Amino acid sequence: MNHSVIHAPETSLGLSSPESDVNNSPGKSPGTTTKPRGKIRRIVSLVLGGIGPTLVLIGFAAVFYFGHRNDWKIPKFAALTGSAEAVRTDWCEEHSVPESICVQCDPTLMPKGPDYRWCPEHGVHNCPLHHPDVAQLKETPTVLASDLERAARALAIAPRKENNSACAVYETRIQFASVESVKQAGVDVELVERHPIVESISGSGEIVYDPTRLASLASRLPGSVWMVQKNVGDKVAKGELLAVIDAPEVGNLKSNLLRSLAEEKLQQQNVSRLTQAREVIAGSLILDAEAALAKAQADVLNAEQSLRNLGLPVQVDSLRSMSDRQVLDSLRLLGIPDEIRSQLDSQTATTNLLPIVSPIDGAISKRTVAPGEVVDPTRILFQVADTRQMWLTLSVPLESMDQLAVGQSVRFQADGSRHEVQGQLDWISTAADKQTRMVQIRAVLPNSDGHLRSETFGRGQVILRNEPDAIVIPKGSSHWEGCCQVVFVRDKSYFDSPESFKVFHVRSVRLGATNGNYTEVISGVLPGEVIATVGSDVLRAQLLKNNLGAGCDCVAE
Ligand SMILES: [Zn+2]
Ligand SMILES: [Zn+2]
Ligand SMILES: [Zn+2]
Ligand SMILES: [Zn+2]
């Protein structure tokens, strides 16, 4: 209600005068020089210093526009002395609009909608999720059950910045004199939309082989490397030959088996012979022979098992029906695949050959052996990795532990790669790093296309929420007012006619996650509403000014 009506002599004046006035005294509004309003006014001037000229322009534009529209006398300005002396009629200094249309000063001009006050569930005033009629839309929108569920998820997953339930800022309306003055203030608007929002916890990560799918292979016996079949990077199938070791112990074990088989045969014949002569010999002789046979059979089993322990697939039953010569041929190249056998002269080849085969499907990730080298069981010759599945280890902040759970979806992008891989969180460390206060978590990532490589680094995300239809506003279009996060919602009747009030409603909002240029609104606005985006700082400044004037302390915090 602060009127600044200053009468000045009517002199001729160009329309450029207001601008030159602005240039002469930047940062000051017309009222300041002629009618200071004490301490609060000065504070406002200081605070608004940066945008002072803009507000001045708004003021002038408003006066001119309003004057034209209502066929009034155009206000005259005296620039002769260089001081700003304006003729002002019908002007609300506090709200920067003509007094006759100032809805803040005279709310009956534009009755306020219902006041539903604080929503404890969503932490906003006039919660549109519960009271969609507060939306600045021509028709009351329908709030879907999925909207309420999404808001509940968003509030459950992480602590969100709290608004002050006692804050009265949401009752404020910010008015412009005209559409032109909104444009001149540089205020731009955008629709509240639906857009996918992903909320995640990210951290730097490293890819390693899945140790449960990693085989380190050594020779099971000492010997020398007779042949190497595979190189680093070669794909191998389970059971495929990697190398052949010449191990004398293998020859010995085969000899043992041969000898045991011969002994078993001998004792078998002995028992048969004695049994046929049962009538004429002592029973104890038969018992002794049977004991000797049992021992020979045990020796065969032992010899067979010793070879099997080396991975040599010996079939004793079939050997028993063979001639000695056939048995020798069968054992000589035991375990050596046919394609290698064909390269060897089976009559003269050593019987010491011990094949090393891959125990899994995978690829050779390490090879530390060359033909001719002497090896023993303590030395790792090959590492075979099944790379169809890899481990991702991520370091995430200790504070995020409450939000993590095994089974959550994890995304990873290796440095320098555009390929994103998705897997599942399957382990969370029970300890944090002493220095960094980071916690290690692990995900298993599928890698059938081979994009992931061991010991590479990148960024990983644990997906907490993946909301395809979140309610979003442009990032940066909401403001923290000391105790409330607010947006400026354009009145639904804004464009009804030139006379309709050019009003933005202050609405408290609760923000969720931000992805790129989109910020999720948990509650506070609904899709289709129009909010100030670019230049909304002008509205913020006006809000600050209004509330300082009204003595609202929370805004100044
Ligand atoms: Zn007013
Ligand atoms: Zn609510
Ligand atoms: Zn307040
Ligand atoms: Zn407040």
Side-chain angles (χ1 to χ4, degrees):
M1 312 258 187
N2 305 283
H3 306 261
S4 307
V5 183
I6 301 126
H7 296 280
E10 290 200 7
T11 50
S12 63
L13 179 72
L15 281 181
S16 61
S17 292
E19 275 117 77
S20 61
D21 172 49
V22 169
N23 292 337
N24 288 343
S25 50
K28 293 184 177 180
S29 59
T32 315
T33 47
T34 51
K35 195 182 176 187
R37 288 181 53 230
K39 195 181 169 194
I40 289 177
R41 200 70 192 81
R42 279 197 299 277
I43 292 169
V44 171
S45 288
L46 280 174
V47 173
L48 301 185
I51 58 154
T54 318
L55 286 181
V56 172
L57 278 176
I58 295 168
F60 280 119
V63 171
F64 281 129
Y65 179 73
F66 207 77
H68 278 299
R69 210 183 59 185
N70 295 283
D71 199 22
W72 293 346
K73 232 174 8 176
I74 295 173
K76 305 291 188 207
F77 296 85
L80 293 173
T81 60
S83 68
E85 277 191 275
V87 175
R88 285 300 183 84
T89 59
D90 187 24
W91 186 251
C92 173
E93 194 64 42
E94 189 178 357
H95 301 117
S96 304
V97 289
E99 182 68 47
S100 61
I101 62 163
C102 182
V103 300
Q104 281 291 95
C105 289
D106 183 3
T108 61
L109 290 171
M110 184 190 191
K112 284 187 176 178
D115 185 352
Y116 297 106
R117 302 185 174 276
W118 179 248
C119 168
E121 183 180 341
H122 297 117
V124 295
H125 306 86
N126 270 344
C127 178
L129 289 183
H130 286 122
H131 308 286
D133 55 304
V134 304
Q136 288 301 323
L137 295 167
K138 290 288 184 186
E139 278 177 30
T140 299
T142 308
V143 171
L144 306 170
S146 58
D147 288 322
L148 291 165
E149 287 159 13
R150 187 184 323 102
R153 279 195 296 274
L155 291 170
I157 202 92
R160 310 293 179 181
K161 201 168 184 180
E162 303 269 359
N163 293 321
N164 179 354
S165 62
C167 180
V169 146
Y170 75 99
E171 295 170 7
T172 313
R173 297 183 289 186
I174 293 177
Q175 188 177 11
F176 286 84
S178 66
V179 171
E180 282 71 17
S181 53
V182 175
K183 274 185 196 156
Q184 277 176 304
V187 175
D188 234 328
V189 293
E190 225 161 294
L191 274 177
V192 178
E193 291 177 290
R194 289 192 188 274
H195 197 269
I197 284 284
V198 171
E199 183 156 25
S200 63
I201 292 168
S202 60
S204 57
E206 184 181 8
I207 296 289
V208 292
Y209 293 120
D210 178 346
T212 66
R213 291 164 172 254
L214 188 65
S216 294
L217 305 178
S219 172
R220 297 188 202 199
L221 292 171
S224 60
V225 179
W226 193 71
M227 167 193 266
V228 178
Q229 279 291 101
K230 296 291 179 186
N231 261 317
V232 170
D234 286 352
K235 287 208 181 310
V236 292
K238 183 177 179 179
E240 200 172 339
L241 184 76
L242 307 185
V244 180
I245 307 297
D246 184 331
E249 181 64 12
V250 172
N252 292 340
L253 291 171
K254 287 176 181 170
S255 298
N256 280 349
L257 180 59
L258 280 171
R259 217 178 300 123
S260 306
L261 281 169
E263 177 70 10
E264 183 193 48
K265 205 173 196 173
L266 182 69
Q267 293 303 335
Q268 185 71 62
Q269 288 164 351
N270 199 22
V271 168
S272 302
R273 190 171 47 81
L274 289 174
T275 307
Q276 281 163 11
R278 180 176 287 142
E279 310 301 320
V280 295
I281 59 168
S284 63
L285 280 178
I286 297 179
L287 287 177
D288 287 349
E290 280 174 347
L293 174 59
K295 183 184 177 299
Q297 285 169 333
D299 288 347
V300 169
L301 278 179
N302 270 340
E304 179 192 19
Q305 192 57 50
S306 299
L307 288 169
R308 289 193 171 205
N309 288 346
L310 297 174
L312 297 172
V314 61
Q315 300 290 335
V316 168
D317 281 342
S318 60
L319 295 179
R320 284 192 177 109
S321 58
M322 292 179 186
S323 70
D324 290 353
R325 183 76 231 168
Q326 285 171 320
V327 171
L328 187 60
D329 286 346
S330 165
L331 285 183
R332 187 189 299 278
L333 295 178
L334 191 64
I336 303 296
D338 289 342
E339 66 269 23
I340 309 293
R341 274 172 198 251
S342 60
Q343 301 166 22
L344 302 172
D345 180 351
S346 63
Q347 300 307 307
T348 58
T350 168
T351 61
N352 293 350
L353 298 185
L354 177 64
I356 294 180
V357 298
S358 176
I360 55 170
D361 290 332
I364 308 288
S365 50
K366 263 184 207 164
R367 176 190 139 169
T368 58
V369 69
E373 283 185 65
V374 173
V375 296
D376 67 56
T378 63
R379 181 173 155 194
I380 302 299
L381 309 182
F382 291 96
Q383 193 181 56
V384 184
D386 178 357
T387 59
R388 289 171 303 178
Q389 194 169 292
M390 303 286 269
W391 273 15
L392 166 66
T393 313
L394 279 180
S395 294
V396 296
L398 185 59
E399 307 82 72
S400 57
M401 281 307 103
D402 286 350
Q403 293 160 260
L404 295 179
V406 166
Q408 280 167 335
S409 177
V410 173
R411 294 178 189 171
F412 177 78
Q413 198 163 3
D415 291 339
S417 165
R418 287 168 55 221
H419 194 84
E420 191 179 72
V421 184
Q422 192 156 334
Q424 277 205 325
L425 183 60
D426 76 341
W427 177 79
I428 300 170
S429 172
T430 51
D433 185 285
K434 261 185 197 149
Q435 261 88 51
T436 62
R437 309 309 295 157
M438 300 294 264
V439 176
Q440 298 255 298
I441 61 172
R442 188 182 67 210
V444 176
L445 302 182
N447 189 40
S448 44
D449 54 8
H451 281 284
L452 299 174
R453 292 178 186 284
S454 187
E455 287 167 51
T456 55
F457 299 89
R459 292 295 291 175
Q461 289 177 290
V462 183
I463 308 301
L464 303 178
R465 287 194 305 137
N466 191 352
E467 307 286 8
D469 293 313
I471 299 169
V472 298
I473 58 174
K475 180 185 173 186
S477 56
S478 71
H479 302 270
W480 180 250
E481 291 315 324
C483 63
C484 279
Q485 192 79 27
V486 298
V487 294
F488 304 100
V489 184
R490 196 174 71 186
D491 188 75
K492 61 186 169 193
S493 304
Y494 186 91
F495 279 125
D496 282 4
S497 73
E499 287 76 28
S500 56
F501 298 109
K502 309 311 173 204
V503 160
F504 286 80
H505 302 261
V506 178
R507 190 86 62 72
S508 56
V509 290
R510 201 89 183 275
L511 301 183
T514 292
N515 287 175
N517 290 324
Y518 295 99
T519 294
E520 177 189 24
V521 176
I522 297 170
S523 184
V525 286
L526 290 176
E529 290 195 282
V530 175
I531 62 161
T533 53
V534 178
S536 57
D537 282 335
V538 173
L539 287 103
R540 180 179 181 270
Q542 186 64 40
L543 176 66
L544 194 65
K545 179 187 164 194
N546 288 357
N547 284 279
L548 276 176
C552 175
D553 47 350
C554 68
V555 176
E557 280 167 24

